[in-house]
Amino acid sequence: MARHFDASHAAFESEFAAFLKEERGTGHDVADIVSGILKDVQARGGEAVAEYTAKFDKLQIDPATLQSDNVNLHLLAAQCPQDLRDAIDYAHDRIAAYHTAQRPSDHSFTDDAGVQLGWRWTALESVGVYVPGGRASYPSSVLMNVVPAKIAGVDRIVMVAPAPDGQLAPAVAYAAVKAGVDEFHPIGGAQAVGALAFGTSSLAPVDKIVGPGNAFVAEAKRQVFGRVGIDTIAGPSEILVIADETANPDWIAADLLSQAEHDPSSQSILITVDKSVGKAVDKSVESQLKSLSTGERAAESWNAHGAIVDAPDLATAANIANQIAAEHLELAIADPDALLPSIRHAGAVFLGHHTPEALGDYVTGSNHVLPTSRAARFSSGLGLYDFLKRMSVQRASPEGFAALAPAALRLAEAERLPAHARSVSIRSNREPG
Amino acid sequence: MARHFDASHAAFESEFAAFLKEERGTGHDVADIVSGILKDVQARGGEAVAEYTAKFDKLQIDPATLQSDNVNLHLLAAQCPQDLRDAIDYAHDRIAAYHTAQRPSDHSFTDDAGVQLGWRWTALESVGVYVPGGRASYPSSVLMNVVPAKIAGVDRIVMVAPAPDGQLAPAVAYAAVKAGVDEFHPIGGAQAVGALAFGTSSLAPVDKIVGPGNAFVAEAKRQVFGRVGIDTIAGPSEILVIADETANPDWIAADLLSQAEHDPSSQSILITVDKSVGKAVDKSVESQLKSLSTGERAAESWNAHGAIVDAPDLATAANIANQIAAEHLELAIADPDALLPSIRHAGAVFLGHHTPEALGDYVTGSNHVLPTSRAARFSSGLGLYDFLKRMSVQRASPEGFAALAPAALRLAEAERLPAHARSVSIRSNREPG
């Protein structure tokens, strides 16, 4: 049974804020353990990686190559059934199309002072993609991380995924091959992040590491940040649905459970402007849980972190949604376009009754790697931008230089940087030669 | 005396790679100290911030307000001389113009399957700007951090800057007022980062923290990352100049020293395709150092980290530049446009003989907060994008849904996520109501 809130009640604001502050993470303090593993990998390279892989994943890998004879990406990919390959191909092509549309343009303009200004976008050279093992090892996540890197023009994409006891899903392997992964190593955990960041004798270090992982992987990414780039640190998944009287309660209940089934720490919230919809969804969730093979962890998530909020109107619902800043937001209402401009913080927005979030997880083409734990307040989902960077470009003509020089000189003087001032004054009224 | 390299020598590649790997940071391991301060600020709020401020900055602040009667931003701003205000105003307006040009467009398209896809950019609500105290307390940095946030539409900009013994530069105060800072607190160090991230009784937490700082500030930003957004972690400044026979050695020497004067850890490198230019620059640096009030630290930087590289041609020079991935890159050559397409990694590129980097530090309008320590391989300078985020938006029509559903179902099945599958199957061939 999820908690109920009524946004019209006087105590709603404080009670709901407290609800949102409840911890959903694992709470482990893993910083010291991770720091030790990273130092070891930096010092001993492949030997350390192989030892941790034997210990944590029960897999023997060659320290010199970081490979295992028991885990061959292409052999595994060949085991993926044809109908599943077709679905992966279909998703691949849609993801490629969406991210191709994201390519930003270079820009250049010359202003009144005669100064040419602009920027150029260039691709990263090398990227490491972390793919989790076990329950969260998804071919869709391989596509979502690798395809944008490929479209951006990254030269070298290195994928790592733990293969406990040599096990790796054939669909994950097929997605990697399809998306064009250049190197693969069956390693995981903080040791894999260390290998990607510091390099080993056989693995050249990458420039950026993306992809979700457990608490150890997240902490390892945080610790190597600066040496390499990282994407947002991923937390448990979330869905928020705003519904009105036109919503089908059974559909909404299914959508709420589609995130609850990910993990007991996941969070599903419904905000409804029709109390009868809220009651019907609540009932449908309980009913659908009974016939769900993932029902146990979905129920755990729904009971611990789920909520149904009655809101007096859609404007209030939008305000609450902005406070939540959810990873996924469905607008299951008659006129989602009218509400969309009021939505400021969300990872991805799904409009109308026929856009369940699961469609976006797989095949709409937009990226399913999205900011969690309220990070949509300050960050975006994964996209082409994560694999490009922007160099600013500028050129002053002699006249432009003359126009700008006095202010530059005055500021350099104020900041007590005489060499800055000299690099300006030395050029005044003179030719380069 | 800087080191000399010749790119034509057989040993160049390994020797230069080793040179680039030399540590220029402080090397302090400050993680534990910072972690302790952050935990204390999170637990005790303003009381802890006031204690650390009294201890480190010798400044008494009110724990309830995080203010000091001795540091009033508007009174300080009033002390800024008029000609300096004019220069700050000039820089402000040019920075505003450049960043206004950066505003990305929302995008929406409907594909063949009948699926509407796109994204919307929205501004962050609140941002904290860290401004260093002491030697690196610059009005230009206030503008570079605050103006883009303002242009992006951030509602609340909180600036913190340590004011040791109550001292804060009037120009810094004027720049803050001019740029439209909403709140100011005279605090610094890890405790200020903690106050911005966790909030205190008088300071609401912000969504993102930007701005440079010392090793403690950088580590504090790293540790709060995830709870709030942060910009790139700043290291010592760098300049790289590529010169040909058309370059004026005195000008180049002045430019190299303009970064060397920042800090003994700064790095200035010249790559020249004309050996006589290299020799003349070397000589001019030694000569100019003598008449520079910042000469001591500039010499320390130049002697420890400076380099002159002879390259056989401009293509080789560009390759070496990409390996360095410098914060600032000047193309002091006859035809910089011809070389620009070969430049893949740099924070900012300055074209031709009349665009000294110092011009860009202050008044061209482009941002001077740029990736250091080779981070230009994977990140961009500060810009409007740092204060916006991108929400993906998607809508399937009933027909679009029908087209996409089979692949989504197959993938959900493969990933063993039955609630995902149900949220698709439950909608098949049915109306919402």
Side-chain angles (χ1 to χ4, degrees):
Chain A
M1 192 79 159
R3 270 169 282 184
H4 279 73
F5 296 92
D6 189 326
S8 309
H9 287 183
F12 171 74
E13 206 168 314
S14 63
E15 284 175 11
F16 195 69
F19 168 72
L20 287 182
K21 272 192 187 158
E22 287 170 12
E23 285 290 338
R24 291 188 292 128
T26 57
H28 294 318
D29 191 358
V30 300
D32 289 345
I33 298 166
V34 166
S35 166
I37 293 172
L38 289 177
K39 279 179 188 150
D40 198 15
V41 170
Q42 186 169 20
R44 297 197 299 127
E47 293 287 346
V49 176
E51 283 173 25
Y52 289 113
T53 303
K55 181 177 170 191
F56 295 129
D57 297 333
K58 315 279 177 240
L59 179 71
Q60 301 300 324
I61 60 168
D62 181 344
T65 62
L66 303 187
Q67 298 289 355
S68 161
D69 290 341
N70 299 324
V71 188
N72 180 299
L73 200 67
H74 288 268
L75 291 182
L76 283 164
Q79 296 170 21
C80 182
Q82 188 60 49
D83 68 327
L84 183 50
R85 289 184 199 208
D86 292 343
I88 290 170
D89 290 355
Y90 184 78
H92 173 278
D93 293 351
R94 292 191 56 90
I95 296 164
Y98 181 87
H99 290 85
T100 298
Q102 277 190 341
R103 188 175 298 281
S105 300
D106 295 348
H107 188 59
S108 180
F109 63 101
T110 301
D111 68 15
D112 293 345
V115 180
Q116 177 195 331
L117 292 160
W119 51 85
R120 289 179 65 231
W121 295 91
T122 56
L124 277 65
E125 280 189 34
S126 59
V127 165
V129 175
Y130 189 96
V131 175
R135 195 164 77 203
S137 187
Y138 300 138
S140 60
S141 291
V142 174
L143 297 178
M144 293 294 178
N145 282 280
V146 176
V147 173
K150 205 78 185 174
I151 300 285
V154 173
D155 304 298
R156 175 174 165 255
I157 301 172
V158 185
M159 182 171 122
V160 296
D165 296 312
Q167 297 298 306
L168 185 76
V172 165
Y174 178 76
V177 171
K178 169 74 184 177
V181 161
D182 298 291
E183 298 172 26
F184 171 74
H185 301 281
I187 57 177
Q191 60 275 16
V193 174
L196 291 169
F198 303 120
T200 70
S201 58
S202 60
L203 173 59
V206 299
D207 294 324
K208 184 168 184 172
I209 302 173
V210 300
N214 62 20
F216 292 87
V217 172
E219 177 60 26
K221 284 166 68 180
R222 182 200 307 277
Q223 291 189 15
V224 298
F225 175 54
R227 173 182 286 272
V228 298
I230 62 170
D231 59 351
T232 313
I233 291 170
S237 196
E238 303 149 6
I239 185 170
L240 169 62
V241 181
I242 295 179
D244 66 8
E245 73 287 354
T246 66
N248 180 320
D250 291 334
W251 296 11
I252 304 304
D255 298 352
L256 294 171
L257 288 173
S258 78
Q259 288 313 294
E261 79 174 338
H262 269 302
D263 194 275
S265 310
S266 299
Q267 182 162 57
S268 304
I269 300 177
L270 167 67
I271 306 175
T272 176
V273 293
D274 182 323
K275 289 190 184 191
S276 67
V277 167
K279 281 176 193 155
V281 167
D282 204 4
K283 201 181 260 184
S284 184
V285 165
E286 299 303 332
S287 157
Q288 292 190 35
L289 273 171
K290 288 173 195 156
S291 58
L292 203 59
S293 61
T294 53
E296 199 174 328
R297 60 174 192 258
E300 206 179 320
S301 156
W302 178 245
N303 295 334
H305 308 298
I308 295 177
V309 182
D310 291 311
D313 50 52
L314 287 174
T316 304
N319 284 342
I320 299 170
N322 286 331
Q323 184 188 354
I324 297 171
E327 183 187 14
H328 306 103
L329 169 61
E330 288 185 7
L331 303 185
I333 57 180
D335 189 358
D337 285 316
L339 195 61
L340 184 58
S342 306
I343 302 301
R344 183 160 174 180
H345 307 305
V349 189
F350 302 80
L351 305 180
H353 298 299
H354 283 85
T355 321
E357 188 235 299
L359 214 61
D361 281 345
Y362 294 123
V363 285
T364 61
S366 82
N367 209 295
H368 81 195
V369 181
L370 295 164
T372 57
S373 310
R374 304 192 64 221
R377 289 171 298 132
F378 55 81
S379 61
S380 312
L382 201 72
L384 206 70
Y385 294 94
D386 290 276
F387 304 103
L388 299 171
K389 62 259 171 17
R390 188 177 25 82
M391 287 191 297
S392 76
V393 179
Q394 49 206 296
R395 178 199 332 238
S397 63
E399 297 71 33
F401 171 80
L404 269 57
L409 279 171
R410 185 65 187 91
L411 283 159
E413 181 202 0
E415 296 187 353
R416 294 182 195 157
L417 294 171
H420 282 63
R422 185 185 279 161
S423 82
V424 174
S425 63
I426 202 170
R427 281 171 166 86
S428 295
N429 304 316
R430 284 183 44 198
E431 291 300 308
Chain B
M1 192 80 160
R3 269 169 281 183
H4 280 72
F5 296 92
D6 189 327
S8 310
H9 287 181
F12 171 75
E13 206 168 313
S14 62
E15 285 175 12
F16 196 70
F19 168 73
L20 287 182
K21 272 192 187 159
E22 286 171 12
E23 285 291 337
R24 291 186 293 126
T26 56
H28 295 317
D29 192 357
V30 300
D32 288 345
I33 298 165
V34 166
S35 165
I37 293 173
L38 290 177
K39 279 180 187 150
D40 198 16
V41 170
Q42 187 170 19
R44 296 197 297 127
E47 294 287 347
V49 177
E51 283 175 26
Y52 289 113
T53 303
K55 181 178 171 191
F56 296 129
D57 297 332
K58 315 281 178 239
L59 180 70
Q60 302 300 325
I61 61 168
D62 181 344
T65 62
L66 303 188
Q67 298 290 356
S68 160
D69 290 341
N70 299 324
V71 188
N72 180 299
L73 199 68
H74 287 268
L75 292 181
L76 282 164
Q79 296 169 20
C80 182
Q82 186 60 48
D83 68 327
L84 184 50
R85 289 185 199 206
D86 292 343
I88 289 169
D89 290 356
Y90 184 79
H92 172 277
D93 293 351
R94 291 192 57 89
I95 296 164
Y98 181 87
H99 289 85
T100 298
Q102 277 189 342
R103 188 175 298 283
S105 300
D106 295 347
H107 188 58
S108 181
F109 62 101
T110 301
D111 68 15
D112 293 346
V115 179
Q116 177 195 331
L117 292 159
W119 51 86
R120 290 179 64 231
W121 295 91
T122 56
L124 276 66
E125 279 188 35
S126 60
V127 165
V129 176
Y130 189 95
V131 175
R135 195 165 78 204
S137 186
Y138 300 139
S140 60
S141 291
V142 174
L143 297 178
M144 293 294 178
N145 282 280
V146 177
V147 173
K150 205 78 185 174
I151 300 284
V154 174
D155 303 299
R156 174 174 166 255
I157 301 172
V158 184
M159 181 172 121
V160 296
D165 296 313
Q167 297 297 306
L168 185 76
V172 164
Y174 178 75
V177 171
K178 170 75 185 175
V181 161
D182 298 291
E183 298 172 27
F184 171 73
H185 300 281
I187 56 177
Q191 61 274 18
V193 174
L196 290 169
F198 303 120
T200 70
S201 58
S202 60
L203 173 58
V206 301
D207 294 324
K208 184 168 183 171
I209 301 174
V210 300
N214 62 20
F216 292 89
V217 172
E219 177 60 24
K221 284 166 68 180
R222 182 200 306 278
Q223 290 189 15
V224 298
F225 175 54
R227 173 182 287 272
V228 299
I230 63 170
D231 59 350
T232 312
I233 290 170
S237 196
E238 304 149 5
I239 185 170
L240 170 63
V241 182
I242 295 179
D244 66 9
E245 71 287 353
T246 67
N248 180 319
D250 292 334
W251 298 10
I252 303 304
D255 298 353
L256 293 171
L257 289 173
S258 77
Q259 288 312 294
E261 78 174 341
H262 270 301
D263 194 276
S265 309
S266 298
Q267 182 161 59
S268 304
I269 300 176
L270 168 67
I271 306 174
T272 176
V273 293
D274 183 323
K275 289 190 184 191
S276 67
V277 167
K279 281 175 191 154
V281 167
D282 205 4
K283 201 181 259 182
S284 184
V285 164
E286 298 303 331
S287 158
Q288 292 190 35
L289 273 171
K290 288 174 193 155
S291 58
L292 203 59
S293 61
T294 52
E296 200 173 326
R297 61 174 190 259
E300 205 178 320
S301 156
W302 179 245
N303 295 334
H305 309 299
I308 296 178
V309 181
D310 291 312
D313 49 51
L314 288 173
T316 304
N319 284 341
I320 299 170
N322 287 330
Q323 185 188 354
I324 297 172
E327 182 187 14
H328 306 103
L329 170 61
E330 289 185 7
L331 302 185
I333 56 180
D335 189 359
D337 286 317
L339 196 61
L340 185 57
S342 306
I343 303 301
R344 182 160 174 180
H345 307 304
V349 189
F350 302 80
L351 304 181
H353 298 301
H354 282 87
T355 321
E357 188 236 298
L359 215 61
D361 281 345
Y362 295 123
V363 285
T364 60
S366 82
N367 209 295
H368 80 195
V369 181
L370 295 164
T372 58
S373 309
R374 305 192 64 223
R377 289 172 295 131
F378 56 80
S379 61
S380 311
L382 201 72
L384 207 69
Y385 294 93
D386 290 276
F387 304 104
L388 299 171
K389 63 260 168 23
R390 187 176 26 81
M391 286 191 296
S392 76
V393 179
Q394 49 207 294
R395 179 202 329 240
S397 62
E399 297 71 31
F401 171 80
L404 269 57
L409 279 171
R410 184 64 187 90
L411 283 159
E413 181 202 0
E415 296 187 353
R416 293 181 198 157
L417 294 171
H420 282 62
R422 184 186 281 162
S423 83
V424 174
S425 64
I426 202 170
R427 282 170 167 87
S428 295
N429 304 315
R430 283 182 46 197
E431 290 300 308

